[in-house]
Amino acid sequence: QVQLVESGGGLVQPGGSLRLSCATAGINLLYDARGWFRQAPGQERERVSCITSDGRVVYADSVKGRFTISKDNAKNTVYLQMNSLKPETTGVYFCAADVTGSYCAASQSDYEYWGQGTQVTVSS
């Protein structure tokens, strides 16, 4: 059974920080790529970041320099450190896994497994 569970979301003021976690079971970070997607109100779901099995990373232009994706293979957990948060960051963040390739796919259709999402709200 494959399971992805996000945590760490919440309400934060602009300029603040949050750390999202994605704990997984049934799949291994040594063999797949993991992505973080954001769905903002009234917007399509978009990829925020991705990390490959060998540690290569990709970031959306909107978060470069502020977000950092990482993983702990032993814990089978992926993290997204979010700093200097802006109101535009608000949305539901989803963790997803692509078990068919070792590259970072941009489209959500390339990811086979998804978590339920965690809400991130940036507001003063």
Side-chain angles (χ1 to χ4, degrees), residues 31-102:
Y31 308 116
D32 59 42
R34 304 292 175 87
W36 284 100
F37 288 76
R38 175 179 63 225
Q39 187 162 20
Q43 303 295 319
E44 295 183 347
R45 190 175 300 178
E46 63 178 0
R47 190 185 69 183
V48 174
S49 186
C50 180
I51 186 166
T52 67
S53 59
D54 61 356
R56 290 172 291 170
V57 299
V58 174
Y59 297 100
D61 289 341
S62 61
V63 305
K64 287 181 179 178
R66 300 187 298 114
F67 288 14
T68 302
I69 190 171
S70 62
K71 64 175 182 174
D72 186 329
N73 290 334
K75 297 181 178 179
N76 213 11
T77 300
V78 180
Y79 306 94
L80 184 67
Q81 179 67 45
M82 306 188 297
N83 299 323
S84 302
L85 290 171
K86 304 176 181 179
E88 303 87 79
T89 307
T90 294
V92 179
Y93 283 72
F94 297 88
C95 178
D98 176 9
V99 300
T100 64
S102 60

Side-chain angles (χ1 to χ4, degrees), residues 96-101 108-114:
D98 176 9
V99 300
T100 64
Q108 62 178 315
S109 64
D110 292 315
Y111 294 80
E112 293 81 20
Y113 302 102
W114 293 80

